[in-house]
Amino acid sequence: MPDGIGTDHQRIDGRAKVTGGARYASDVMLGNVAHAWLVTSAIARGHITGMDEAAARAVPGVLEVFSHRNMHGAVAETEFFAKGGYVGSTIRPLESDRIWHDGQIVAMVVADTLEAAREAAFRLQVEYREEQPAAGFDAAGVEVKAASEGGFEDPEVGDADRAYGNAEVKIEAEYSTPTQHHNPIELFTTTAHWVGGKLELHEGSQFVHGLKNGVAAQLGIDPADVHVVSPFVGGAFGSRGSLTQRTALVAEAARRLGRPVKLVPTRDQGFTIATYRAETRQKVKLAAGRDGKLQALVHEGWEVTSRPDPYKVGGTATTARIYACPNVRTKVNLVHADRNTPGFMRSPPELPYMFALESAMDELAVALNMDPVELRRVNDTQREPIKGLPYSSRNLVGCLDAGAKAFGWERRNPAPRSMRQGEWLVGWGMATSIYPTHIGAATARVTLLPSGHARVQTAAHDVGTGAYTAIGLAAAEGLGVSLDKVAVELGDSDLPPAPVAGGSNTTASVCNVVMKACDEIRARRAQGQQGAIEVYAENVPEGLPPEAIGKLYQGRNALGGGLEGGKQAMAAFGAIFVEVRVHERTREVRVPRAVGAFAAGRIVSPRQAHSQLTGGMIWGIGAALHETTEIDHRTARYMNDNLSEYLVPVNADIQQLDVIMLDERDSQANPLGIKGIGELGNVGTNAAVANAVFHATGTRPRHLPVRIEQLLG
Amino acid sequence: MRPFSYMRADAPKADAAASFLAGGTTLLDLMKLDVLRPERVADINGLALSGVRLDAHGLHLGALARMSEVADHAEVKRHYPVVAQSLMLAASPQIRNMASLGGNVLQRTRCPYFRDTSYTACNKRNPGSGCSAIGGVNRLQAVLGTSEACIAAYPGDFAQALVVLDAEVEVQGAQGRRRMRFAELHVAPGQAPQRETTLQPGDLITGFSVPAGAWTARSLYLKVRDRESYAFALASAAVALQLEGETVREVRIALGGVATVPWRAHDAEAELRGKRLDEASATRAAAAAFASAQTHGENAFKPELGRRTLVRALLQAKQMEA
Amino acid sequence: MLPLLTGTAAAQPAPATPPTESRTMDMTMEVNGQVHRLALDPRTTLLDALREHIGLTGSKKGCDQGQCGACTVLLDGRRVLGCLTLAASVGGRQVTTIEGLSRPEGALHPMQQAFLDHDAFQCGYCTPGQILSAVACVREGHAGSAEDIREYMSGNLCRCAAYPQIVAAVQQAAPQVERS
């Protein structure tokens, strides 16, 4: 029986994953491999003044100590990804004696065994001249710049300040969200191997073509001589999207030593050699009439970034457009500090900025004495307010209805501290979720054999999202075969290029191009072509310029869609409902149940989509209650850089979690009507938790994570 | 990790040159961080020190009994619930399967400045160098038993159960076996935080004895933490109660997560003996328990949380069927 | 201000004596029923022995500090962490890894099948550790209720957060694992 889009099916890569057969980057066994160990900076700002390598080099088995002394000039400068380049940080470690941030790579020891490499790394003596670093917002010496200086467009319409001044009901509040680290369970490993002048890289990646082209540019070699192998990725969440600087260092070490080199950095090194979610501070002002209709929305954000790189979170691009509001003013500011460069982390703009907006909406509902679901309902719109673009489809109201019903929202007593169970205060809160629908240029090769077996080849990425299965289902539908006859090959730069696994675009981008190839195969069969049929398809989605396909072949980001460009706004929506319990004395916050209802276009592989959405909601719960990177503000160093003290939810933190996926057809967004869901689940969930905590306790949490000390008062 | 020679110990004997390896959950962790650098590692897992026994005198625990064995022991759960609970609420199932009781009580602080050798200033690791935690990231650090030299919190749970039940610890030393009150094992940092216990180099903990008492059955361990499982205590309370009606005949209180050592709260106990146990008396006891607390910025919430934790624990113990 | 920071290992000066010569020690371990004789650095952990020397890469390194559970293996049937176990210390005991739970082309172990059925993983990296932990959880008698399963599976972090699906999988497989 043919399978297709919407078929409930187990993961086609699942057997490999449950048997230990799935080979992640550091699982590749290479002969004569040498082991690398990083030495990272103990200061956040200053210079290296001395390095005593004698004790390290004396460790038996040590092959080389790489530092700025022998690596200067080895890795070329390349552009920041947001300026059209590849790297997530332009800070080049081992280029000079300059220290830009805590945990910067200052040396890499390579030895015959990892035990020897580790010992030698600890024996390396590095001397520094330290300058007082600026850790973040409140530090002396930070540099604040408007994001608009770098070309960011602050959405604005009407006269928000006047409307705010004239409104009957208004609230104003400040919120903050902390530094967070992705902490995928797979470490940031890289194995480099040169074969006949060609570089083979084994590294978990969300963008193998970006990695290939980026490393080639850094090392001054032909991209055709780089092969990136990344069929399985042990979690990514944005951390493996842009190129990190470690890859070129490992490749260069392997080239010089004439041996494969394998780097398995430690967990704490992962906090500083890759990116993270920047901390934000936000001010929100909302004004409404007695009917609840918004009259003014003012949203200003401050975001930490590194000294050299203008990484921008910029969630106002979404918060300005979600509700019907005639007067909107927004502004984003970048605060440059002595930190590593932040980057994308699951729902990068929306998670922090929607926390502020949806908390403020809850505060407004309280001020209006209006049900918070009703407040979202009266401000629903089918056109975004900034440019008046129509949403390609939008069913927030359906989500509110379905979620409220499943949750039992009508039984909520709106008064804070009005519900309890035994010693536990009970609170119910909700929030809206939104994630822009992105799509990019993509290519794929599809082959149908006379036996009825098919093969799909595309350099897309399954970072746990279920892409293997979703793409397989699209091909099964396109060719009219069962899924067990479809082989899917992903995560290899020798395959036809596909976009970065970011912005939740993969399913839309890749399934559409695969379907295009399948259509062509079917057409040729209808014309009587015999034997195996192989089609290589390219797809440039409507709204993207023709050069998008060329950028893709160069490994550059080329995503379209979303809320801002083109003739329409495209997004998936959701409504999150959360119950919290807060102990009346000791104030632990627990989440016994949550419901998320989502309208996210056509659901390609329902079982994996369900997992993505539950996982996303759990991320939102973790963001609300647990996750924060602790920074020593004297030294600008991360102090809880491990999984014992950087807390993510454990199994016992999650109890009942229900996901409802509404049927939604969207013929405008893209031919298959697919919207992204990988990042939708965590947006709004943090605010729903915080709003529930307010309902339980009467204390309004405005600073994440919401921990016991905020609630003891 | 520095090179070491590995050997298996064939008899419980003192070995001043070696670090003893039991579960390895602290030793290997800190060796990987370069905090500990033993030249010899003596694997003691082959020694016959793993029994768990209850008799009329009390509870006898071998130092090599694993946390999970005792946490799951039906008789321990029934007669010494605070012991079983303190173990069950600690770490993870895998770590509880590995970690020995002897090693558990000797686990080292989680203070990040102790664990990160790139920080020079840590009096515990590098005597005389200063304390980076004071004025730094110290949300999890101690408010009781601190000094200007060190505020590192004792991170364990089981030790509070031993302290609260007046357990004894048995030690094999160079001069033979000796027993002492468990409460005398750990020492507060004072001016010498590098010295954490009264053990001499080479001493090996071989077991624990918990005396029977009329209060052991009505005992519990309450642990307050950020997440529901697998987290260190923000505050914890071990309490054991003997009631006559609602009047406290005997009470024992120990506190965790808030102190530099397993912390017995004698002042709090004195507030309660002979009194009716209720919200008011429990609150007075909690106030006494934290009268000497000193906070350092991020951990300013701990006295209040610790007091509430103790009140909750006392009132919960009162409700127990024992 | 803190005292000026110097050096990455400045806490204790490097010993004056040169490091001892690299040496290995002979060890024997039985993994999935097969005996391996190895000559390894005494510092080698069980996890690194499995991954780097025996070629069994199903056990994963997620933290190397006993904090994530990805390296969970069974040692004489009990779940332990490979990253905090010295390879030298496991001689004479039986190690079971994910590769030993079922035969390569044979039927899956009931717990593996349950994880597959319930989509109890996403990226799959923590999955071998989760499955071995789940098998032990059932055998320990800690899978009697969803609440018990949640608590006794909390030593295995899943960053993709497949927790509800993991609980469902353990519940499905528990009766079969108990009988086996």
Side-chain angles (χ1 to χ4, degrees):
Chain A
M1 202 183 98
D3 294 309
I5 291 175
T7 302
D8 179 64
H9 202 284
Q10 69 186 34
R11 276 171 207 262
I12 60 175
D13 52 331
R15 186 179 173 104
K17 287 179 172 175
V18 300
T19 56
R23 293 270 183 269
Y24 299 80
S26 66
D27 296 342
V28 175
M29 301 297 282
L30 297 171
N32 198 33
V33 69
H35 295 265
W37 204 276
L38 299 178
V39 179
T40 55
S41 169
I43 66 166
R45 180 187 169 106
H47 291 80
I48 299 166
T49 54
M51 202 176 278
D52 183 353
E53 301 175 5
R57 288 184 181 274
V59 173
V62 167
L63 300 167
E64 185 55 276
V65 177
F66 294 100
S67 72
H68 63 286
R69 293 171 172 177
N70 54 11
M71 289 287 262
H72 170 76
V75 178
E77 186 175 357
T78 48
E79 273 287 12
F80 191 49
F81 79 92
K83 296 179 180 172
Y86 302 100
V87 291
S89 169
T90 61
I91 297 166
R92 284 182 293 161
L94 309 197
E95 176 61 17
S96 75
D97 60 0
R98 174 86 184 263
I99 302 296
W100 294 87
H101 62 84
D102 168 38
Q104 178 180 321
I105 299 169
V106 297
M108 184 169 70
V109 180
V110 182
D112 285 328
T113 66
L114 68 85
E115 289 79 19
R118 177 173 55 199
E119 179 190 348
F122 277 110
R123 288 188 187 274
L124 189 72
Q125 296 290 310
V126 184
E127 302 295 328
Y128 303 98
R129 186 175 68 245
E130 186 183 13
E131 298 164 20
Q132 178 61 48
F137 292 123
D138 298 321
V142 294
E143 192 183 2
V144 183
K145 286 185 184 171
S148 56
E149 287 180 41
F152 178 71
E153 194 180 323
D154 290 312
E156 188 168 356
V157 69
D159 187 340
D161 295 303
R162 198 172 74 185
Y164 185 83
N166 293 340
E168 284 184 90
V169 182
K170 53 187 115 182
I171 61 108
E172 176 176 6
E174 295 184 25
Y175 305 89
S176 68
T177 61
T179 302
Q180 296 178 334
H181 279 79
H182 315 77
N183 278 307
I185 304 297
E186 183 187 15
L187 297 161
F188 291 107
T189 77
T190 297
T191 300
H193 184 203
W194 292 82
V195 186
K198 296 196 174 193
L199 173 62
E200 186 172 288
L201 281 171
H202 298 269
E203 180 178 308
S205 174
Q206 289 172 264
F207 195 18
V208 290
H209 273 270
L211 186 56
K212 164 180 142 162
N213 284 278
V215 167
Q218 286 179 309
L219 296 178
I221 59 177
D222 185 343
D225 289 339
V226 181
H227 179 203
V228 179
V229 185
S230 180
F232 292 98
V233 181
F237 316 113
S239 65
R240 307 184 204 269
S242 304
L243 181 61
T244 70
Q245 294 282 351
R246 91 222 187 234
T247 310
L249 300 179
V250 177
E252 178 64 13
R255 179 155 68 177
R256 291 195 193 174
L257 293 170
R259 284 172 75 163
V261 172
K262 176 176 183 174
L263 169 70
V264 180
T266 59
R267 174 59 56 185
D268 64 293
Q269 289 167 351
F271 278 68
T272 59
I273 66 169
T275 63
Y276 61 96
R277 189 192 296 283
E279 61 263 47
T280 72
R281 287 184 179 172
Q282 300 171 56
K283 284 186 187 171
V284 180
K285 290 157 77 165
L286 294 178
R290 291 276 167 210
D291 57 0
K293 288 193 174 166
L294 287 171
Q295 293 170 356
L297 185 162
V298 179
H299 197 166
E300 187 167 9
W302 289 260
E303 311 162 356
V304 161
T305 187
S306 66
R307 288 285 177 193
D309 296 322
Y311 177 78
K312 168 183 57 37
V313 179
T316 50
T318 298
T319 58
R321 291 176 168 91
I322 187 169
Y323 294 121
C325 182
N327 301 290
V328 176
R329 180 169 64 75
T330 67
K331 189 178 180 198
V332 169
N333 306 281
L334 303 188
V335 179
H336 292 268
D338 296 301
R339 297 275 299 279
N340 50 324
T341 305
F344 297 130
M345 180 165 159
R346 201 173 192 171
S347 323
E350 285 77 17
L351 184 115
Y353 278 83
M354 282 294 285
F355 165 70
L357 178 65
E358 289 301 290
S359 295
M361 287 291 280
D362 203 64
E363 301 205 39
L364 181 64
V366 171
L368 286 162
N369 197 21
M370 180 182 262
D371 182 89
V373 176
E374 185 61 19
L375 179 62
R376 271 77 174 182
R377 212 189 301 273
V378 301
N379 286 292
D380 188 47
T381 176
Q382 291 298 320
R383 283 182 180 273
E384 60 81 30
I386 303 299
K387 293 179 189 159
L389 301 178
Y391 278 97
S392 64
S393 63
R394 166 167 165 142
N395 192 13
L396 173 60
V397 169
C399 296
L400 293 167
D401 290 344
K405 185 171 178 222
F407 189 80
W409 185 258
E410 79 281 359
R411 297 194 307 273
R412 178 180 186 258
N413 180 337
R417 296 183 66 93
S418 62
M419 296 164 69
R420 69 158 53 219
Q421 181 154 25
E423 296 182 351
W424 296 82
L425 308 173
V426 174
W428 288 4
M430 59 79 55
T432 296
S433 176
I434 178 173
Y435 196 80
T437 297
H438 297 116
I439 187 165
T443 69
R445 185 189 298 115
V446 180
T447 311
L448 179 65
L449 300 172
S451 64
H453 287 81
R455 185 177 63 181
V456 182
Q457 295 171 302
T458 175
H461 317 80
D462 191 329
V463 293
T465 43
Y468 278 109
T469 310
I471 292 165
L473 285 169
E477 175 161 312
L479 300 172
V481 300
S482 63
L483 184 55
D484 61 6
K485 291 214 163 61
V486 181
V488 181
E489 295 176 25
L490 307 177
D492 188 309
S493 67
D494 283 356
L495 298 174
V500 61
S504 296
N505 85 87
T506 293
T507 308
S509 304
V510 179
C511 289
N512 276 296
V513 73
V514 165
M515 196 58 79
K516 194 172 170 182
C518 293
D519 288 347
E520 169 73 15
I521 289 173
R522 278 212 318 276
R524 289 202 212 162
R525 268 222 301 221
Q527 291 158 10
Q529 184 170 341
Q530 302 288 307
I533 306 177
E534 179 180 294
V535 169
Y536 187 109
E538 293 178 338
N539 186 47
V540 179
E542 198 182 314
L544 277 174
E547 55 268 28
I549 197 80
K551 285 178 79 175
L552 177 67
Y553 280 96
Q554 293 166 10
R556 297 178 196 276
N557 288 317
L559 295 184
L563 300 172
E564 302 160 61
K567 298 182 187 132
Q568 56 183 358
M570 303 195 293
F573 287 86
I576 315 284
F577 295 81
V578 169
E579 175 174 320
V580 301
R581 293 187 191 181
V582 183
H583 194 272
E584 62 177 355
R585 288 184 195 279
T586 44
R587 301 283 155 159
E588 302 101 307
V589 182
R590 301 291 185 251
V591 181
R593 73 192 178 101
V595 172
F598 302 96
R602 207 166 162 203
I603 300 301
V604 179
S605 55
R607 200 183 304 183
Q608 291 71 41
H610 182 270
S611 291
Q612 280 287 289
L613 290 165
T614 56
M617 287 173 67
I618 294 168
W619 264 60
I621 293 170
L625 299 178
H626 304 305
E627 286 191 42
T628 177
T629 303
E630 312 267 7
I631 300 164
D632 185 322
H633 288 274
R634 303 164 302 181
T635 58
R637 302 189 65 190
Y638 301 138
M639 295 313 300
N640 63 334
D641 46 4
N642 63 74
L643 291 173
S644 281
E645 276 102 9
Y646 183 97
L647 297 183
V648 300
V650 296
N651 204 315
D653 287 305
I654 304 306
Q655 299 181 36
Q656 193 186 336
L657 204 62
D658 295 313
V659 161
I660 300 162
M661 294 183 281
L662 301 185
D663 190 42
E664 184 175 72
R665 302 286 152 168
D666 185 332
S667 57
Q668 302 298 312
N670 53 67
L672 293 177
I674 296 167
K675 296 179 175 179
I677 55 160
E679 297 168 90
L680 183 62
N682 58 337
V683 179
T685 303
N686 51 5
V689 171
N691 295 340
V693 170
F694 169 77
H695 184 235
T697 64
T699 300
R700 172 67 63 183
R702 298 193 180 92
H703 308 285
L704 296 184
V706 184
R707 299 195 294 197
I708 284 174
E709 54 264 46
Q710 285 189 40
L711 303 173
L712 285 174
Chain B
M1 198 185 292
R2 306 295 164 120
F4 59 85
S5 58
Y6 170 89
M7 75 205 76
R8 295 191 180 194
D10 49 12
K13 62 185 176 206
D15 185 344
S19 284
F20 295 116
L21 174 71
T25 54
T26 291
L27 182 64
L28 261 85
D29 180 31
L30 291 178
M31 286 168 69
K32 286 181 184 183
L33 294 173
D34 210 35
V35 172
L36 295 180
R37 302 167 174 183
E39 290 172 14
R40 287 208 288 164
V41 170
D43 186 338
I44 57 170
N45 287 298
L47 305 183
L49 296 173
S50 56
V52 177
R53 188 166 54 84
L54 287 86
D55 61 22
H57 302 291
L59 169 64
H60 308 280
L61 301 167
L64 283 179
R66 307 294 150 162
M67 292 170 72
S68 56
E69 290 170 48
V70 184
D72 280 348
H73 196 287
E75 295 294 292
V76 177
K77 286 204 274 197
R78 177 134 61 108
H79 299 293
Y80 299 87
V82 66
V83 172
Q85 289 168 14
S86 70
L87 291 162
M88 162 59 211
L89 293 170
S92 73
Q94 290 93 318
I95 291 172
R96 295 195 295 267
N97 272 349
M98 300 169 74
S100 69
L101 299 186
N104 177 283
V105 301
L106 296 178
Q107 66 186 295
R108 310 294 295 274
T109 183
R110 298 291 309 182
C111 178
Y113 303 94
F114 171 73
R115 291 174 57 82
D116 185 343
T117 58
S118 70
Y119 273 89
T120 304
C122 171
N123 286 322
K124 194 180 274 297
R125 184 163 39 75
N126 198 6
S129 60
C131 174
S132 297
I134 294 173
V137 171
N138 58 33
R139 177 173 182 263
L140 297 176
Q141 303 315 316
V143 296
L144 293 172
T146 59
S147 69
E148 62 274 28
C150 184
I151 61 169
Y154 175 77
D157 297 297
F158 172 54
Q160 276 77 253
L162 294 175
V163 164
V164 91
L165 295 181
D166 281 319
E168 292 192 326
V169 56
E170 186 180 85
V171 177
Q172 176 76 46
Q175 270 76 49
R177 286 201 184 191
R178 66 183 193 275
R179 294 167 78 91
M180 61 176 168
R181 294 178 55 224
F182 181 78
E184 289 165 8
L185 179 66
H186 293 87
V187 290
Q191 291 310 304
Q194 71 275 17
R195 183 163 181 257
E196 296 180 351
T197 71
T198 54
L199 294 177
Q200 299 302 311
D203 279 355
L204 175 65
I205 292 176
T206 54
F208 306 93
S209 292
V210 181
W215 45 86
T216 67
R218 188 185 292 277
S219 69
L220 61 80
Y221 191 71
L222 177 67
K223 182 173 180 179
V224 175
R225 41 191 169 171
D226 284 314
R227 64 184 179 195
E228 180 67 13
S229 185
Y230 203 7
F232 293 96
L234 295 170
S236 71
V239 300
L241 269 180
Q242 184 186 3
L243 294 176
E244 278 179 2
E246 294 204 332
T247 301
V248 177
R249 178 150 181 199
E250 185 53 80
V251 60
R252 310 288 178 84
I253 297 170
L255 304 172
V258 292
T260 55
V261 292
W263 191 262
R264 180 77 178 263
H266 292 288
D267 292 349
E269 295 171 6
E271 279 287 339
L272 285 169
R273 282 198 190 92
K275 311 269 170 58
R276 182 172 181 274
L277 177 55
D278 56 19
E279 177 92 27
S281 63
T283 302
R284 281 195 301 276
F290 285 88
S292 66
Q294 294 211 315
T295 63
H296 289 275
E298 289 185 358
N299 69 5
F301 70 101
K302 279 200 168 183
E304 177 61 19
L305 179 63
R307 284 189 287 267
R308 294 185 185 204
T309 303
L310 178 52
V311 171
R312 182 178 164 193
L314 286 165
L315 297 180
Q316 201 171 312
K318 182 184 173 185
Q319 300 301 320
M320 286 176 74
E321 290 181 21
Chain C
M1 270 304 287
L2 285 181
L4 189 66
L5 300 159
T6 56
T8 55
Q12 301 168 47
T17 49
T20 51
E21 282 303 303
S22 172
R23 68 226 134 87
T24 59
M25 62 180 287
D26 294 328
M27 48 187 96
T28 304
M29 66 178 75
E30 187 180 334
V31 184
N32 303 330
Q34 194 179 340
V35 176
H36 298 265
R37 288 175 218 293
L38 304 162
L40 300 179
D41 188 312
R43 296 174 287 187
T44 310
T45 62
L46 173 57
L47 176 62
D48 288 330
L50 292 169
R51 290 180 53 79
E52 304 294 337
H53 301 283
I54 298 177
L56 293 173
T57 56
S59 306
K60 302 301 184 197
K61 184 177 284 189
C63 70
D64 215 22
Q65 288 179 298
Q67 300 169 350
C68 75
C71 64
T72 301
V73 297
L74 304 182
L75 192 56
D76 286 345
R78 290 158 57 91
R79 47 178 160 164
V80 300
L81 300 173
C83 75
L84 291 183
T85 303
L86 280 183
S89 71
V90 303
R93 294 193 280 172
Q94 294 184 357
V95 180
T96 304
T97 70
I98 191 69
E99 292 92 343
L101 219 48
S102 58
R103 292 210 203 105
E105 299 307 321
L108 294 175
H109 183 280
M111 193 62 78
Q112 291 172 316
Q113 185 64 50
F115 269 63
L116 198 48
D117 292 343
H118 289 274
D119 208 41
F121 52 89
Q122 292 176 34
C123 80
Y125 196 79
C126 72
T127 309
Q130 297 276 2
I131 289 174
L132 289 164
S133 196
V135 169
C137 176
V138 174
R139 290 187 186 153
E140 290 162 7
H142 290 143
S145 66
E147 191 182 351
D148 264 5
I149 294 167
R150 288 194 289 262
E151 172 60 36
Y152 284 91
M153 287 301 291
S154 283
N156 293 81
L157 302 185
C158 174
R159 186 54 161 152
C160 302
Y163 296 130
Q165 292 87 345
I166 290 168
V167 174
V170 177
Q171 286 181 309
Q172 173 182 310
Q176 290 165 273
V177 175
E178 277 164 7
R179 282 196 298 272
S180 68

